[in-house]
Short mmCIF file of all heavy atoms in Angstrom, two decimals:
data_model
loop_
_atom_site.label_atom_id
_atom_site.label_comp_id
_atom_site.label_asym_id
_atom_site.label_seq_id
_atom_site.Cartn_x
_atom_site.Cartn_y
_atom_site.Cartn_z
N ARG S 1328 24.82 -11.69 -79.54
CA ARG S 1328 23.54 -11.02 -79.76
C ARG S 1328 22.62 -11.18 -78.54
O ARG S 1328 22.01 -10.23 -78.07
CB ARG S 1328 22.86 -11.64 -80.99
CG ARG S 1328 21.69 -10.87 -81.55
CD ARG S 1328 21.09 -11.62 -82.73
NE ARG S 1328 20.78 -13.01 -82.40
CZ ARG S 1328 19.68 -13.39 -81.76
NH1 ARG S 1328 18.78 -12.50 -81.41
NH2 ARG S 1328 19.45 -14.66 -81.48
N LEU S 1329 22.61 -12.39 -77.99
CA LEU S 1329 21.78 -12.69 -76.84
C LEU S 1329 22.33 -12.02 -75.58
O LEU S 1329 21.59 -11.51 -74.74
CB LEU S 1329 21.73 -14.21 -76.65
CG LEU S 1329 20.51 -14.80 -75.94
CD1 LEU S 1329 19.22 -14.34 -76.60
CD2 LEU S 1329 20.58 -16.33 -75.95
N LEU S 1330 23.65 -11.98 -75.52
CA LEU S 1330 24.32 -11.37 -74.37
C LEU S 1330 24.04 -9.87 -74.30
O LEU S 1330 23.79 -9.32 -73.22
CB LEU S 1330 25.83 -11.62 -74.46
CG LEU S 1330 26.64 -11.54 -73.17
CD1 LEU S 1330 26.13 -12.51 -72.13
CD2 LEU S 1330 28.11 -11.82 -73.47
N SER S 1331 24.06 -9.21 -75.47
CA SER S 1331 23.80 -7.77 -75.45
C SER S 1331 22.34 -7.48 -75.17
O SER S 1331 22.01 -6.49 -74.52
CB SER S 1331 24.28 -7.10 -76.74
OG SER S 1331 23.59 -7.61 -77.84
N ALA S 1332 21.43 -8.39 -75.63
CA ALA S 1332 20.01 -8.23 -75.30
C ALA S 1332 19.83 -8.36 -73.78
O ALA S 1332 19.12 -7.57 -73.15
CB ALA S 1332 19.18 -9.30 -76.02
N TYR S 1333 20.52 -9.34 -73.22
CA TYR S 1333 20.47 -9.56 -71.77
C TYR S 1333 20.92 -8.30 -71.01
O TYR S 1333 20.24 -7.83 -70.09
CB TYR S 1333 21.37 -10.75 -71.42
CG TYR S 1333 21.66 -10.93 -69.95
CD1 TYR S 1333 20.75 -11.56 -69.12
CD2 TYR S 1333 22.85 -10.46 -69.41
CE1 TYR S 1333 21.02 -11.73 -67.76
CE2 TYR S 1333 23.13 -10.61 -68.06
CZ TYR S 1333 22.22 -11.25 -67.24
OH TYR S 1333 22.49 -11.40 -65.91
N SER S 1334 22.06 -7.74 -71.43
CA SER S 1334 22.59 -6.54 -70.76
C SER S 1334 21.63 -5.37 -70.89
O SER S 1334 21.44 -4.60 -69.94
CB SER S 1334 23.94 -6.15 -71.36
OG SER S 1334 24.84 -7.21 -71.26
N ARG S 1335 21.03 -5.25 -72.09
CA ARG S 1335 20.12 -4.13 -72.33
C ARG S 1335 18.89 -4.25 -71.43
O ARG S 1335 18.48 -3.29 -70.79
CB ARG S 1335 19.72 -4.11 -73.81
CG ARG S 1335 19.07 -2.80 -74.25
CD ARG S 1335 18.64 -2.88 -75.71
NE ARG S 1335 17.71 -3.96 -75.98
CZ ARG S 1335 17.94 -5.00 -76.76
NH1 ARG S 1335 19.10 -5.12 -77.39
NH2 ARG S 1335 17.03 -5.94 -76.94
N ILE S 1336 18.33 -5.45 -71.35
CA ILE S 1336 17.14 -5.65 -70.51
C ILE S 1336 17.49 -5.38 -69.04
O ILE S 1336 16.75 -4.71 -68.33
CB ILE S 1336 16.57 -7.09 -70.66
CG1 ILE S 1336 16.14 -7.34 -72.11
CG2 ILE S 1336 15.39 -7.31 -69.73
CD1 ILE S 1336 15.88 -8.80 -72.44
N ARG S 1337 18.63 -5.89 -68.61
CA ARG S 1337 19.04 -5.71 -67.22
C ARG S 1337 19.14 -4.23 -66.84
O ARG S 1337 18.79 -3.83 -65.74
CB ARG S 1337 20.39 -6.39 -66.98
CG ARG S 1337 20.38 -7.35 -65.81
CD ARG S 1337 21.64 -8.16 -65.76
NE ARG S 1337 22.70 -7.51 -65.01
CZ ARG S 1337 22.72 -7.42 -63.68
NH1 ARG S 1337 21.75 -7.93 -62.96
NH2 ARG S 1337 23.72 -6.83 -63.07
N LYS S 1338 19.65 -3.44 -67.79
CA LYS S 1338 19.80 -2.02 -67.55
C LYS S 1338 18.43 -1.33 -67.43
O LYS S 1338 18.28 -0.35 -66.71
CB LYS S 1338 20.59 -1.38 -68.70
CG LYS S 1338 21.88 -0.70 -68.22
CD LYS S 1338 22.66 -0.14 -69.39
CE LYS S 1338 23.73 -1.09 -69.88
NZ LYS S 1338 24.32 -0.73 -71.17
N ASN S 1339 17.45 -1.86 -68.17
CA ASN S 1339 16.15 -1.19 -68.23
C ASN S 1339 15.17 -1.61 -67.14
O ASN S 1339 14.16 -0.97 -66.95
CB ASN S 1339 15.50 -1.44 -69.60
CG ASN S 1339 16.24 -0.70 -70.70
OD1 ASN S 1339 16.88 0.31 -70.45
ND2 ASN S 1339 16.15 -1.21 -71.91
N VAL S 1340 15.47 -2.70 -66.43
CA VAL S 1340 14.53 -3.14 -65.40
C VAL S 1340 15.03 -2.75 -64.01
O VAL S 1340 16.21 -2.60 -63.78
CB VAL S 1340 14.26 -4.67 -65.47
CG1 VAL S 1340 13.56 -5.00 -66.77
CG2 VAL S 1340 15.54 -5.46 -65.32
N ARG S 1341 14.06 -2.61 -63.12
CA ARG S 1341 14.34 -2.07 -61.80
C ARG S 1341 15.15 -3.03 -60.92
O ARG S 1341 16.02 -2.62 -60.19
CB ARG S 1341 13.02 -1.71 -61.12
CG ARG S 1341 13.10 -0.63 -60.08
CD ARG S 1341 11.70 -0.20 -59.67
NE ARG S 1341 10.78 -1.34 -59.62
CZ ARG S 1341 10.72 -2.21 -58.60
NH1 ARG S 1341 11.49 -2.06 -57.57
NH2 ARG S 1341 9.85 -3.23 -58.63
N ASN S 1342 14.83 -4.31 -60.96
CA ASN S 1342 15.46 -5.24 -60.01
C ASN S 1342 16.66 -6.00 -60.59
O ASN S 1342 17.16 -6.94 -59.96
CB ASN S 1342 14.42 -6.23 -59.48
CG ASN S 1342 13.72 -6.99 -60.60
OD1 ASN S 1342 14.10 -6.87 -61.76
ND2 ASN S 1342 12.72 -7.77 -60.25
N GLY S 1343 17.09 -5.62 -61.79
CA GLY S 1343 18.26 -6.26 -62.39
C GLY S 1343 18.02 -7.65 -62.93
O GLY S 1343 18.95 -8.33 -63.35
N LEU S 1344 16.76 -8.06 -62.94
CA LEU S 1344 16.43 -9.39 -63.46
C LEU S 1344 16.07 -9.29 -64.94
O LEU S 1344 15.05 -8.70 -65.30
CB LEU S 1344 15.25 -10.00 -62.70
CG LEU S 1344 15.50 -10.45 -61.25
CD1 LEU S 1344 14.20 -10.95 -60.63
CD2 LEU S 1344 16.58 -11.52 -61.19
N ALA S 1345 16.89 -9.88 -65.80
CA ALA S 1345 16.62 -9.87 -67.24
C ALA S 1345 16.06 -11.22 -67.68
O ALA S 1345 15.38 -11.33 -68.69
CB ALA S 1345 17.88 -9.57 -68.02
N VAL S 1346 16.39 -12.27 -66.93
CA VAL S 1346 15.94 -13.62 -67.25
C VAL S 1346 15.17 -14.16 -66.05
O VAL S 1346 15.68 -14.19 -64.94
CB VAL S 1346 17.14 -14.55 -67.55
CG1 VAL S 1346 16.64 -15.92 -68.00
CG2 VAL S 1346 18.04 -13.95 -68.62
N VAL S 1347 13.92 -14.53 -66.30
CA VAL S 1347 13.08 -15.04 -65.20
C VAL S 1347 12.34 -16.28 -65.66
O VAL S 1347 12.31 -16.61 -66.86
CB VAL S 1347 12.07 -13.98 -64.73
CG1 VAL S 1347 12.77 -12.80 -64.06
CG2 VAL S 1347 11.19 -13.51 -65.89
N GLN S 1348 11.72 -16.94 -64.70
CA GLN S 1348 10.86 -18.07 -65.03
C GLN S 1348 9.41 -17.66 -64.81
O GLN S 1348 9.13 -16.68 -64.13
CB GLN S 1348 11.23 -19.25 -64.13
CG GLN S 1348 12.54 -19.91 -64.56
CD GLN S 1348 12.80 -21.19 -63.81
OE1 GLN S 1348 12.83 -21.18 -62.58
NE2 GLN S 1348 12.97 -22.28 -64.54
N VAL S 1349 8.53 -18.43 -65.41
CA VAL S 1349 7.11 -18.23 -65.15
C VAL S 1349 6.80 -18.92 -63.82
O VAL S 1349 7.13 -20.08 -63.62
CB VAL S 1349 6.24 -18.84 -66.28
CG1 VAL S 1349 4.75 -18.71 -65.94
CG2 VAL S 1349 6.55 -18.15 -67.60
N LYS S 1350 6.23 -18.13 -62.90
CA LYS S 1350 5.90 -18.69 -61.58
C LYS S 1350 4.44 -18.41 -61.29
O LYS S 1350 4.00 -17.27 -61.42
CB LYS S 1350 6.75 -18.03 -60.49
CG LYS S 1350 8.22 -18.44 -60.54
CD LYS S 1350 9.02 -17.70 -59.46
CE LYS S 1350 10.50 -17.99 -59.66
NZ LYS S 1350 11.35 -17.19 -58.81
N ARG S 1351 3.71 -19.46 -60.89
CA ARG S 1351 2.27 -19.31 -60.58
C ARG S 1351 1.54 -18.58 -61.71
O ARG S 1351 0.83 -17.60 -61.48
CB ARG S 1351 2.07 -18.54 -59.28
CG ARG S 1351 2.58 -19.25 -58.05
CD ARG S 1351 2.61 -18.29 -56.87
NE ARG S 1351 3.28 -18.89 -55.73
CZ ARG S 1351 2.65 -19.64 -54.82
NH1 ARG S 1351 1.37 -19.88 -54.92
NH2 ARG S 1351 3.34 -20.15 -53.83
N ASP S 1352 1.79 -19.03 -62.95
CA ASP S 1352 1.14 -18.49 -64.15
C ASP S 1352 1.50 -17.03 -64.45
O ASP S 1352 0.83 -16.37 -65.25
CB ASP S 1352 -0.40 -18.60 -64.04
CG ASP S 1352 -0.86 -20.04 -63.89
OD1 ASP S 1352 -0.18 -20.93 -64.47
OD2 ASP S 1352 -1.87 -20.28 -63.21
N ALA S 1353 2.52 -16.52 -63.79
CA ALA S 1353 2.87 -15.12 -64.02
C ALA S 1353 4.36 -14.97 -64.33
O ALA S 1353 5.17 -15.82 -63.97
CB ALA S 1353 2.52 -14.29 -62.77
N CYS S 1354 4.68 -13.88 -65.02
CA CYS S 1354 6.08 -13.55 -65.28
C CYS S 1354 6.79 -13.31 -63.95
O CYS S 1354 6.29 -12.56 -63.10
CB CYS S 1354 6.14 -12.28 -66.15
SG CYS S 1354 7.76 -11.48 -66.20
N GLY S 1355 7.93 -13.94 -63.74
CA GLY S 1355 8.68 -13.80 -62.49
C GLY S 1355 9.31 -12.43 -62.31
O GLY S 1355 9.87 -12.14 -61.25
N GLY S 1356 9.22 -11.59 -63.34
CA GLY S 1356 9.80 -10.25 -63.24
C GLY S 1356 8.76 -9.20 -62.96
O GLY S 1356 8.92 -8.39 -62.05
N CYS S 1357 7.68 -9.21 -63.72
CA CYS S 1357 6.67 -8.15 -63.58
C CYS S 1357 5.35 -8.66 -62.99
O CYS S 1357 4.45 -7.88 -62.72
CB CYS S 1357 6.41 -7.47 -64.92
SG CYS S 1357 5.55 -8.53 -66.12
N PHE S 1358 5.24 -9.99 -62.83
CA PHE S 1358 4.07 -10.64 -62.21
C PHE S 1358 2.78 -10.50 -63.00
O PHE S 1358 1.69 -10.73 -62.48
CB PHE S 1358 3.88 -10.15 -60.75
CG PHE S 1358 5.14 -10.28 -59.95
CD1 PHE S 1358 5.83 -9.14 -59.53
CD2 PHE S 1358 5.67 -11.52 -59.67
CE1 PHE S 1358 7.02 -9.26 -58.83
CE2 PHE S 1358 6.86 -11.64 -58.96
CZ PHE S 1358 7.54 -10.51 -58.53
N ASN S 1359 2.90 -10.14 -64.27
CA ASN S 1359 1.71 -10.16 -65.13
C ASN S 1359 1.46 -11.60 -65.57
O ASN S 1359 2.39 -12.38 -65.76
CB ASN S 1359 1.92 -9.27 -66.36
CG ASN S 1359 1.63 -7.81 -66.06
OD1 ASN S 1359 0.50 -7.43 -65.76
ND2 ASN S 1359 2.67 -7.00 -66.11
N THR S 1360 0.18 -11.91 -65.74
CA THR S 1360 -0.22 -13.28 -66.09
C THR S 1360 0.31 -13.66 -67.48
O THR S 1360 0.29 -12.86 -68.40
CB THR S 1360 -1.75 -13.40 -66.08
OG1 THR S 1360 -2.20 -12.97 -64.80
CG2 THR S 1360 -2.20 -14.82 -66.33
N VAL S 1361 0.78 -14.91 -67.58
CA VAL S 1361 1.21 -15.44 -68.87
C VAL S 1361 0.16 -16.48 -69.29
O VAL S 1361 -0.08 -17.44 -68.56
CB VAL S 1361 2.61 -16.09 -68.76
CG1 VAL S 1361 3.05 -16.65 -70.11
CG2 VAL S 1361 3.63 -15.09 -68.23
N PRO S 1362 -0.46 -16.30 -70.46
CA PRO S 1362 -1.54 -17.21 -70.89
C PRO S 1362 -1.03 -18.65 -71.05
O PRO S 1362 0.16 -18.85 -71.35
CB PRO S 1362 -1.97 -16.65 -72.25
CG PRO S 1362 -1.41 -15.29 -72.32
CD PRO S 1362 -0.21 -15.24 -71.44
N PRO S 1363 -1.91 -19.64 -70.86
CA PRO S 1363 -1.53 -21.04 -70.90
C PRO S 1363 -0.78 -21.44 -72.18
O PRO S 1363 0.23 -22.16 -72.10
CB PRO S 1363 -2.87 -21.79 -70.81
CG PRO S 1363 -3.77 -20.83 -70.11
CD PRO S 1363 -3.34 -19.45 -70.52
N GLN S 1364 -1.27 -20.99 -73.35
CA GLN S 1364 -0.61 -21.39 -74.60
C GLN S 1364 0.83 -20.88 -74.64
O GLN S 1364 1.75 -21.59 -75.04
CB GLN S 1364 -1.40 -20.85 -75.81
CG GLN S 1364 -0.83 -21.25 -77.16
CD GLN S 1364 -0.59 -22.78 -77.26
OE1 GLN S 1364 -1.49 -23.59 -77.00
NE2 GLN S 1364 0.64 -23.18 -77.62
N ARG S 1365 1.01 -19.65 -74.18
CA ARG S 1365 2.34 -19.05 -74.15
C ARG S 1365 3.24 -19.80 -73.16
O ARG S 1365 4.42 -20.03 -73.43
CB ARG S 1365 2.22 -17.57 -73.77
CG ARG S 1365 3.34 -16.71 -74.31
CD ARG S 1365 2.97 -15.24 -74.20
NE ARG S 1365 4.16 -14.41 -74.37
CZ ARG S 1365 4.73 -14.15 -75.55
NH1 ARG S 1365 4.21 -14.67 -76.65
NH2 ARG S 1365 5.79 -13.38 -75.63
N GLN S 1366 2.65 -20.19 -72.05
CA GLN S 1366 3.41 -20.97 -71.06
C GLN S 1366 3.90 -22.28 -71.67
O GLN S 1366 5.02 -22.72 -71.42
CB GLN S 1366 2.54 -21.28 -69.84
CG GLN S 1366 2.35 -20.10 -68.90
CD GLN S 1366 1.74 -20.54 -67.58
OE1 GLN S 1366 2.17 -21.52 -66.99
NE2 GLN S 1366 0.72 -19.80 -67.15
N ALA S 1367 3.03 -22.88 -72.50
CA ALA S 1367 3.40 -24.14 -73.15
C ALA S 1367 4.57 -23.93 -74.10
O ALA S 1367 5.51 -24.73 -74.14
CB ALA S 1367 2.19 -24.71 -73.90
N ASP S 1368 4.53 -22.79 -74.86
CA ASP S 1368 5.64 -22.45 -75.78
C ASP S 1368 6.94 -22.24 -75.01
O ASP S 1368 8.01 -22.67 -75.44
CB ASP S 1368 5.30 -21.17 -76.57
CG ASP S 1368 4.16 -21.40 -77.55
OD1 ASP S 1368 3.86 -22.58 -77.84
OD2 ASP S 1368 3.57 -20.40 -78.00
N ILE S 1369 6.81 -21.56 -73.87
CA ILE S 1369 7.99 -21.27 -73.05
C ILE S 1369 8.57 -22.58 -72.52
O ILE S 1369 9.79 -22.81 -72.58
CB ILE S 1369 7.63 -20.31 -71.89
CG1 ILE S 1369 7.26 -18.92 -72.45
CG2 ILE S 1369 8.79 -20.19 -70.90
CD1 ILE S 1369 6.45 -18.07 -71.49
N ALA S 1370 7.68 -23.46 -72.05
CA ALA S 1370 8.12 -24.73 -71.48
C ALA S 1370 8.79 -25.61 -72.54
O ALA S 1370 9.72 -26.36 -72.25
CB ALA S 1370 6.94 -25.46 -70.85
N ALA S 1371 8.34 -25.48 -73.80
CA ALA S 1371 8.89 -26.29 -74.89
C ALA S 1371 10.34 -25.90 -75.20
O ALA S 1371 11.11 -26.71 -75.73
CB ALA S 1371 8.02 -26.15 -76.13
N GLN S 1372 10.69 -24.65 -74.91
CA GLN S 1372 12.06 -24.15 -75.12
C GLN S 1372 12.57 -24.34 -76.55
O GLN S 1372 13.70 -24.75 -76.78
CB GLN S 1372 13.02 -24.80 -74.12
CG GLN S 1372 12.68 -24.44 -72.67
CD GLN S 1372 13.81 -24.73 -71.71
OE1 GLN S 1372 14.44 -25.77 -71.82
NE2 GLN S 1372 14.06 -23.83 -70.79
N LYS S 1373 11.68 -24.03 -77.52
CA LYS S 1373 12.08 -24.13 -78.93
C LYS S 1373 12.62 -22.80 -79.44
O LYS S 1373 13.31 -22.74 -80.45
CB LYS S 1373 10.88 -24.57 -79.80
CG LYS S 1373 10.38 -25.96 -79.47
CD LYS S 1373 11.37 -27.03 -79.96
CE LYS S 1373 10.90 -28.43 -79.57
NZ LYS S 1373 12.01 -29.28 -79.11
N LYS S 1374 12.23 -21.74 -78.78
CA LYS S 1374 12.77 -20.41 -79.13
C LYS S 1374 12.82 -19.52 -77.89
O LYS S 1374 12.18 -19.84 -76.88
CB LYS S 1374 11.95 -19.77 -80.25
CG LYS S 1374 10.48 -19.62 -79.91
CD LYS S 1374 9.74 -18.94 -81.06
CE LYS S 1374 8.26 -18.80 -80.71
NZ LYS S 1374 7.51 -17.95 -81.59
N VAL S 1375 13.57 -18.42 -78.03
CA VAL S 1375 13.68 -17.49 -76.90
C VAL S 1375 12.44 -16.60 -76.90
O VAL S 1375 12.14 -15.91 -77.86
CB VAL S 1375 14.96 -16.62 -77.02
CG1 VAL S 1375 15.02 -15.60 -75.88
CG2 VAL S 1375 16.21 -17.50 -77.01
N ILE S 1376 11.70 -16.65 -75.80
CA ILE S 1376 10.46 -15.89 -75.69
C ILE S 1376 10.61 -14.83 -74.59
O ILE S 1376 11.14 -15.11 -73.52
CB ILE S 1376 9.27 -16.83 -75.36
CG1 ILE S 1376 9.04 -17.79 -76.53
CG2 ILE S 1376 7.99 -16.03 -75.06
CD1 ILE S 1376 8.03 -18.88 -76.27
N VAL S 1377 10.13 -13.62 -74.91
CA VAL S 1377 10.20 -12.56 -73.90
C VAL S 1377 8.80 -12.22 -73.39
O VAL S 1377 7.81 -12.43 -74.09
CB VAL S 1377 10.88 -11.27 -74.44
CG1 VAL S 1377 12.32 -11.55 -74.85
CG2 VAL S 1377 10.08 -10.67 -75.59
N CYS S 1378 8.74 -11.68 -72.18
CA CYS S 1378 7.46 -11.28 -71.58
C CYS S 1378 6.89 -10.13 -72.40
O CYS S 1378 7.60 -9.16 -72.68
CB CYS S 1378 7.67 -10.86 -70.13
SG CYS S 1378 6.21 -10.10 -69.38
N GLU S 1379 5.62 -10.22 -72.75
CA GLU S 1379 5.03 -9.17 -73.59
C GLU S 1379 4.76 -7.89 -72.79
O GLU S 1379 4.50 -6.85 -73.36
CB GLU S 1379 3.75 -9.67 -74.27
CG GLU S 1379 2.72 -10.22 -73.31
CD GLU S 1379 1.59 -10.95 -74.03
OE1 GLU S 1379 1.48 -10.78 -75.25
OE2 GLU S 1379 0.85 -11.68 -73.36
N HIS S 1380 4.86 -7.98 -71.47
CA HIS S 1380 4.61 -6.81 -70.64
C HIS S 1380 5.91 -6.06 -70.30
O HIS S 1380 5.96 -4.84 -70.38
CB HIS S 1380 3.90 -7.21 -69.34
CG HIS S 1380 2.57 -7.84 -69.58
ND1 HIS S 1380 1.45 -7.10 -69.90
CD2 HIS S 1380 2.19 -9.14 -69.58
CE1 HIS S 1380 0.43 -7.92 -70.08
NE2 HIS S 1380 0.84 -9.17 -69.89
N CYS S 1381 6.95 -6.81 -69.89
CA CYS S 1381 8.17 -6.15 -69.40
C CYS S 1381 9.38 -6.41 -70.29
O CYS S 1381 10.42 -5.76 -70.11
CB CYS S 1381 8.47 -6.59 -67.97
SG CYS S 1381 8.91 -8.33 -67.83
N GLY S 1382 9.28 -7.34 -71.22
CA GLY S 1382 10.40 -7.60 -72.13
C GLY S 1382 11.48 -8.50 -71.57
O GLY S 1382 12.48 -8.75 -72.24
#
Side-chain angles (χ1 to χ4, degrees):
R1328 194 182 52 81
L1329 206 53
L1330 202 57
S1331 61
Y1333 168 82
S1334 303
R1335 195 183 58 244
I1336 299 166
R1337 232 170 89 74
K1338 239 178 265 168
N1339 290 334
V1340 295
R1341 206 170 38 79
N1342 56 7
L1344 290 176
V1346 185
V1347 293
Q1348 285 188 303
V1349 176
K1350 289 178 188 172
R1351 294 168 189 273
D1352 299 327
C1354 164
C1357 69
F1358 308 112
N1359 277 295
T1360 304
V1361 180
Q1364 182 52 52
R1365 207 165 164 77
Q1366 284 192 47
D1368 292 343
I1369 293 160
Q1372 297 197 317
K1373 295 288 177 221
K1374 57 178 180 169
V1375 177
I1376 295 173
V1377 298
C1378 171
E1379 54 191 345
H1380 299 282
C1381 66

